[in-house]
Amino acid sequence: PIDFSLGYLEDAQRLTNAPFDIVFCRACWNYCQSDGNFARLLVNLVGERGIGCIKLNTSDCSQRHGLRRVQELLNDRLSRKIGHPHPGPGRVVGLFAQLPVRSLYVDFSHRGWETIGFVK
Protein backbone atom coordinates (compact mmCIF):
# COMPACT_ATOMS: atom_id res chain seq x y z
CA PRO A 1 0.00 0.00 0.00
CA ILE A 2 1.11 3.55 -0.73
CA ASP A 3 0.16 6.62 1.27
CA PHE A 4 1.27 9.95 -0.08
CA SER A 5 0.76 13.60 0.56
CA LEU A 6 1.10 16.49 -1.84
CA GLY A 7 0.77 19.90 -0.31
CA TYR A 8 2.11 23.25 0.71
CA LEU A 9 5.16 23.81 2.89
CA GLU A 10 3.03 25.26 5.66
CA ASP A 11 0.96 22.06 5.88
CA ALA A 12 3.90 19.66 6.19
CA GLN A 13 4.31 20.08 9.98
CA ARG A 14 1.05 18.21 10.60
CA LEU A 15 2.49 15.12 8.88
CA THR A 16 5.42 14.48 11.26
CA ASN A 17 3.37 12.07 13.42
CA ALA A 18 3.36 9.49 10.60
CA PRO A 19 6.83 9.58 9.01
CA PHE A 20 7.33 8.72 5.36
CA ASP A 21 9.73 6.28 3.69
CA ILE A 22 10.52 8.86 1.00
CA VAL A 23 10.24 12.64 1.05
CA PHE A 24 10.86 14.62 -2.13
CA CYS A 25 11.10 18.41 -2.34
CA ARG A 26 11.80 20.07 -5.67
CA ALA A 27 12.42 23.72 -6.53
CA CYS A 28 10.48 25.22 -3.65
CA TRP A 29 13.23 25.79 -1.08
CA ASN A 30 13.28 29.57 -1.53
CA TYR A 31 9.62 29.76 -0.44
CA CYS A 32 10.19 28.47 3.10
CA GLN A 33 10.38 31.06 5.86
CA SER A 34 13.48 29.62 7.52
CA ASP A 35 16.06 27.40 5.83
CA GLY A 36 17.10 25.78 9.11
CA ASN A 37 13.56 25.07 10.28
CA PHE A 38 12.60 23.66 6.89
CA ALA A 39 15.63 21.34 6.81
CA ARG A 40 14.68 20.03 10.28
CA LEU A 41 11.07 19.57 9.17
CA LEU A 42 12.10 17.51 6.15
CA VAL A 43 14.30 15.27 8.29
CA ASN A 44 11.43 14.86 10.78
CA LEU A 45 9.07 13.85 7.95
CA VAL A 46 11.35 10.91 7.08
CA GLY A 47 11.01 7.70 9.09
CA GLU A 48 13.86 5.52 10.35
CA ARG A 49 15.97 4.33 7.39
CA GLY A 50 13.84 6.45 5.05
CA ILE A 51 15.27 8.78 2.45
CA GLY A 52 14.90 12.41 1.53
CA CYS A 53 15.65 14.01 -1.82
CA ILE A 54 15.83 17.76 -2.27
CA LYS A 55 16.45 19.56 -5.55
CA LEU A 56 16.88 23.30 -5.13
CA ASN A 57 17.92 26.40 -6.99
CA THR A 58 21.00 28.16 -5.68
CA SER A 59 22.41 31.57 -6.37
CA ASP A 60 25.85 33.07 -6.63
CA CYS A 61 25.41 36.34 -4.74
CA SER A 62 28.47 37.82 -6.43
CA GLN A 63 26.59 37.68 -9.75
CA ARG A 64 23.50 39.46 -8.41
CA HIS A 65 22.84 43.17 -8.07
CA GLY A 66 20.45 45.41 -6.22
CA LEU A 67 17.62 44.09 -4.06
CA ARG A 68 18.12 40.42 -5.03
CA ARG A 69 21.75 40.57 -3.86
CA VAL A 70 20.70 42.12 -0.53
CA GLN A 71 17.99 39.46 -0.06
CA GLU A 72 20.41 36.59 -0.71
CA LEU A 73 23.18 38.04 1.47
CA LEU A 74 20.74 38.53 4.37
CA ASN A 75 19.59 34.92 4.03
CA ASP A 76 23.07 33.40 3.65
CA ARG A 77 24.82 35.44 6.33
CA LEU A 78 22.09 36.25 8.87
CA SER A 79 19.40 33.61 8.15
CA ARG A 80 16.86 36.36 7.51
CA LYS A 81 14.51 36.09 4.55
CA ILE A 82 12.94 39.01 2.78
CA GLY A 83 11.05 37.84 -0.27
CA HIS A 84 12.06 34.47 -1.71
CA PRO A 85 15.85 34.44 -2.10
CA HIS A 86 17.69 31.36 -3.32
CA PRO A 87 20.33 30.11 -0.89
CA GLY A 88 23.98 30.31 -1.82
CA PRO A 89 25.82 27.19 -3.02
CA GLY A 90 26.42 24.71 -0.20
CA ARG A 91 24.29 26.56 2.38
CA VAL A 92 21.50 23.98 2.55
CA VAL A 93 23.94 21.06 2.49
CA GLY A 94 25.59 22.57 5.57
CA LEU A 95 22.23 22.64 7.35
CA PHE A 96 21.58 18.94 6.64
CA ALA A 97 25.12 18.06 7.74
CA GLN A 98 24.20 19.29 11.23
CA LEU A 99 21.06 17.14 11.46
CA PRO A 100 20.68 13.49 12.54
CA VAL A 101 21.03 11.73 9.19
CA ARG A 102 22.98 8.51 8.53
CA SER A 103 24.38 9.56 5.18
CA LEU A 104 24.32 12.60 2.97
CA TYR A 105 24.69 12.75 -0.82
CA VAL A 106 25.26 15.97 -2.72
CA ASP A 107 25.37 16.72 -6.44
CA PHE A 108 26.69 20.14 -7.50
CA SER A 109 27.14 19.16 -11.17
CA HIS A 110 24.44 21.47 -12.57
CA ARG A 111 25.24 25.14 -12.10
CA GLY A 112 22.50 26.94 -10.20
CA TRP A 113 21.04 23.69 -8.86
CA GLU A 114 21.91 21.33 -6.02
CA THR A 115 20.57 17.87 -5.39
CA ILE A 116 20.75 16.66 -1.82
CA GLY A 117 19.88 13.16 -0.71
CA PHE A 118 19.93 11.78 2.80
CA VAL A 119 19.19 8.57 4.64
CA LYS A 120 17.86 8.87 8.16
Side-chain angles (χ1 to χ4, degrees):
I2 296 176
D3 291 326
F4 71 93
S5 176
L6 175 65
Y8 293 99
L9 300 174
E10 295 83 13
D11 296 334
Q13 183 64 42
R14 68 179 171 78
L15 302 171
T16 58
N17 293 338
F20 292 88
D21 296 324
I22 300 170
V23 171
F24 181 72
C25 175
R26 183 182 185 279
C28 65
W29 194 275
N30 54 309
Y31 295 106
C32 68
Q33 293 179 350
S34 165
D35 291 344
N37 289 344
F38 191 53
R40 278 188 293 281
L41 173 61
L42 291 177
V43 169
N44 289 336
L45 286 171
V46 175
E48 189 67 26
R49 301 208 188 277
I51 62 171
C53 181
I54 298 95
K55 179 117 177 149
L56 63 125
N57 301 87
T58 60
S59 177
D60 181 357
C61 290
S62 67
Q63 302 299 314
R64 299 286 191 178
H65 301 285
L67 179 59
R68 178 59 86 183
R69 180 178 170 90
V70 171
Q71 289 173 318
E72 291 172 355
L73 287 171
L74 284 171
N75 184 37
D76 283 346
R77 303 236 172 110
L78 302 175
S79 297
R80 300 286 182 232
K81 281 196 171 183
I82 297 172
H84 304 293
H86 294 193
R91 174 172 163 65
V92 174
V93 174
L95 296 171
F96 279 99
Q98 298 173 29
L99 296 172
V101 297
R102 291 180 186 271
S103 60
L104 192 59
Y105 164 83
V106 184
D107 179 359
F108 295 112
S109 64
H110 296 93
R111 185 172 181 194
W113 286 90
E114 289 179 12
T115 302
I116 303 167
F118 67 87
V119 177
K120 188 167 174 187

